[in-house]
Amino acid sequence: MGDLIWAAEPAQLLPARSQMAFTLMFHIILVPMGVALPAIMLIANYKGLRHGDSVALTLARRWSHAAGLTFAVGAVSGTVLSFEMGLLWPGLTRKYGDVFGLPFAIEGVAFFLEAILVAVYIYGWQRLRGWTHFWLGVPIPFVALVGAFSIISANAWMNTPEGFTVDSNGQLVDIDPIDAIFNKALPLEMAHFVLAAYMAAGFTVASIYVVGWLRGRRDRYHRLGILIPFTVAAIATPAQFAVGDSIARWLANNQPTKFAAMEVVTESGPDQPEILFGRYDEQTNTVSGGIRIPGLNSILTGGSRDTNVTGLDTVAPQDRPSNVDIVHWCFDIMVGIASLLVLLVAWFAIAYWRRRDVPRSKLFLWTASAAGALTYVAIEAGWIVTEVGRQPWIVYEVERTSDAVTQADGVWVSFTVVLVLYAVLAAGTVAVLRAMSRRWRRQDVADAAVPYGPRPAAPEPAEPGPR
C-alpha cells in the first residue's frame, strides 16, 4: 500500500521533503545555542561581576565568542530555510501566506536585533564598564525567545490551523493573523522547545568541561565550566519531563492520528499496551516484536486502563503518517533519553547537595560527558515526531503536502548542492571551534586577566637605527 501511495505522489515530493528535513535537522543543532547559550554566559558574567570572580568572567567571555560563531552559522542555515519555504512549498506560502506569514516578519526583526546585541556584547569586553557591559547583554536571551516564539508559532499553526475560514469557493476569508499566531498548540509546543534548548545548550557546554575533568584538568575553571551550565540543564530537565507528558496527552485529544503513530496504536479501544519499539506492518495494520507493557498506554493517556485511545484503524491508509515506524521509534528514543537525563539530574542534585561539588563517580562523569550529544539526539527525534507524524498533511487536515510541493524540476540537484554546502559549513564551524579551544588552552593565564581592565598597551614602535 505504501509503495502505491508513493507512486501516486508528485515526483518532486520525495526530494523536497528530503531537502527540507536535512536543512531543518542541520539548523536545529544551532538553535539551542542561539536561544540558551546567551543566558548561560550572562549567568557566568553576573557571578564574575558580583563576586569579583575572574574565572567566571573568563568563561563568560569565551562562551560569548562561541555564541557569536554559532549565531553567525545559524543565520546562514536559517536564511536557506526561509528560501526553501517559498521555493519547495509554493502551494503553502501562496495560499496561506496571509494567514501565517506574520511570524516570519517578527522573526526577521528579532534576528537583526539579536545580531546587533550579540555584536555589541562581544565588542564590549575590555571596552565598557563591567555592569554597563552586562546590562547591554541582558536583552539577548529575551530577543532570542522572541525569535523562537515566531518560528514555533508558525509550526504550531501547521499542526492546529486557525485564523481563517474557507468559503464555498475554496477561498480563504475572515483571515486573522493574530488568531493564527496564538493558536492552541503554541503554549505547549513553545514550552517544550525552549526547555529542550536550555537542556541541549546546558548539557553540551558542561560536557566539554566534563571531558577535561576526566582527563585530569580538575581546576576551578573546569569546575565552574561544569556547574554553571549543568545546573541550568538540571533545572530544565524535570520541567521538560512534565511538559512532555502534557503535550503527549494533548496530542491524544487534538491530533489522535499522530498520537496513534507515536504509540503505534493500531486498533482503537481501552486497555492499550505501551509498546516499546517493535515493527509496524502497514499492510495488516499490526505490530510485531517490541516490548509490551499491558494497559500502560491507557493509564498514561487518561489515568486508567479504561481510557479509550484512538488507533490508526480510524483513518484511511492514505491519511496515516507516511512512516509509522520512524515516528514510533523516534518517540521511544526521545522518551528514553529524557528518562535517562532525569536520573542523571537526580544523581547530580543529591551529590551536589551532600558535597557542594562535581560528583566524583566515573559512571556519572562518563554519562554527563555524553549528555549533550544525547540531548541533541532527543531534539532531532522529537522534531521528526512532530513533522513526520503530521504527514500526509502540511497543514493538518487542511492541505496535503503533495498539493503544496513545487512542480519545478531539479530538486534533487538543489538537494545535492545543499548537502555539499552544509558539509563545508559544518567542517568550517568545527574547525574554528577546535582552533578557539586550542588557543584558549594555550592562553589560559593571559585570557584570565581582568576582562574589564585596560586593554593591553600597543607595543612601542622601534627606535629608528642609525642610517
Side-chain angles (χ1 to χ4, degrees):
M1 179 64 74
D3 293 340
L4 292 175
I5 292 173
W6 273 109
E9 301 289 5
Q12 296 84 356
L13 184 60
L14 179 59
R17 284 187 60 187
S18 302
Q19 181 173 333
M20 199 74 193
F22 172 76
T23 46
L24 273 169
M25 292 180 74
F26 183 95
H27 183 66
I28 209 170
I29 295 172
L30 301 160
V31 173
M33 293 300 167
V35 171
L37 186 54
I40 296 172
M41 83 187 177
L42 285 169
I43 292 171
N45 195 165
Y46 177 82
K47 179 177 175 58
L49 289 171
R50 184 76 175 78
H51 301 287
D53 189 333
S54 62
V55 174
L57 289 176
T58 299
L59 286 167
R61 185 179 180 183
R62 292 176 174 180
W63 290 345
S64 71
H65 292 167
L69 174 65
T70 54
F71 179 84
V73 178
V76 174
S77 57
T79 302
V80 172
L81 274 173
S82 300
F83 284 115
E84 287 181 346
M85 284 292 289
L87 294 173
L88 297 178
W89 313 107
L92 171 68
T93 52
R94 182 172 56 242
K95 187 172 182 179
Y96 297 97
D98 290 344
V99 182
F100 82 118
L102 183 57
F104 292 100
I106 297 172
E107 200 274 339
V109 174
F111 163 73
F112 282 113
L113 189 55
E114 187 177 358
I116 293 168
L117 289 168
V118 168
V120 169
Y121 184 79
I122 293 175
Y123 185 77
W125 289 107
Q126 292 189 325
R127 291 180 172 84
L128 296 171
R129 293 179 182 275
W131 285 109
T132 303
H133 177 242
F134 171 78
W135 286 112
L136 282 173
V138 166
I140 298 174
F142 298 99
V143 175
L145 285 178
V146 173
F149 166 84
S150 58
I151 296 304
I152 295 299
S153 170
N155 184 266
W157 176 84
M158 294 164 74
N159 288 317
T160 53
E162 299 175 42
F164 65 95
T165 303
V166 181
D167 67 12
S168 57
N169 297 319
Q171 301 299 312
L172 303 188
V173 296
D174 300 329
I175 294 173
D176 188 338
I178 302 302
D179 272 357
I181 290 176
F182 294 98
N183 59 79
K184 60 185 178 183
L186 175 64
L188 284 174
E189 197 167 329
M190 179 71 183
H192 195 46
F193 185 79
V194 170
L195 288 169
Y198 273 80
M199 287 173 63
F203 282 131
T204 300
V205 174
S207 66
I208 295 169
Y209 296 89
V210 171
V211 171
W213 194 267
L214 282 166
R215 291 177 176 174
R217 301 179 195 132
R218 303 200 171 188
D219 49 24
R220 188 161 184 278
Y221 173 77
H222 284 81
R223 180 176 180 274
L224 270 187
I226 295 170
L227 290 179
I228 292 175
F230 201 96
T231 302
V232 170
I235 294 170
T237 300
Q240 177 70 300
F241 207 76
V243 170
D245 178 67
S246 298
I247 203 168
R249 294 168 187 259
W250 186 91
L251 286 170
N253 294 318
N254 293 276
Q255 287 187 286
T257 307
K258 179 188 286 187
F259 183 78
M262 289 161 51
E263 295 283 19
V264 74
V265 179
T266 55
E267 303 290 336
S268 303
D271 200 21
Q272 294 288 344
E274 183 72 27
I275 303 176
L276 305 179
F277 300 101
R279 185 171 176 78
Y280 174 73
D281 186 339
E282 60 186 5
Q283 303 291 340
T284 59
N285 191 34
T286 56
V287 182
S288 59
I291 302 171
R292 293 171 183 262
I293 305 174
L296 183 59
N297 188 4
S298 286
I299 293 173
L300 293 175
T301 304
S304 79
R305 297 183 70 151
D306 296 331
T307 301
N308 187 75
V309 181
T310 302
L312 292 167
D313 61 316
T314 58
V315 292
Q318 64 269 23
D319 290 338
R320 295 172 188 166
S322 51
N323 195 317
V324 172
D325 276 337
I326 286 181
V327 177
H328 174 57
W329 279 55
C330 284
F331 178 69
D332 281 356
I333 289 170
M334 178 180 65
V335 174
I337 291 174
S339 302
L340 175 64
L341 293 176
V342 166
L343 294 176
L344 184 69
V345 164
W347 189 344
F348 171 76
I350 294 171
Y352 188 78
W353 175 66
R354 294 178 61 187
R355 296 172 45 83
R356 292 290 189 272
D357 202 354
V358 177
R360 295 178 178 177
S361 164
K362 282 287 183 66
L363 177 60
F364 174 87
L365 293 173
W366 279 109
T367 310
S369 69
L374 287 172
T375 312
Y376 269 109
V377 171
I379 286 180
E380 298 284 9
W383 200 252
I384 290 171
V385 169
T386 299
E387 296 304 299
V388 180
R390 192 182 60 244
Q391 300 304 318
W393 308 99
I394 195 167
V395 182
Y396 186 62
E397 293 188 337
V398 173
E399 183 170 25
R400 300 179 81 88
T401 309
S402 55
D403 294 333
V405 72
T406 179
Q407 299 302 309
D409 295 329
V411 182
W412 280 119
V413 175
S414 69
F415 182 29
T416 305
V417 172
V418 166
L419 277 174
V420 173
L421 289 177
Y422 276 42
V424 173
L425 188 62
T429 304
V430 172
V432 172
L433 285 172
R434 286 176 60 84
M436 290 167 65
S437 175
R438 287 195 296 270
R439 180 169 58 83
W440 288 339
R441 282 204 294 272
R442 287 196 306 269
Q443 299 178 347
D444 268 346
V445 176
D447 207 37
V450 283
Y452 295 116
R455 300 181 65 194
E460 294 290 338
E463 292 289 336
R467 293 179 181 273

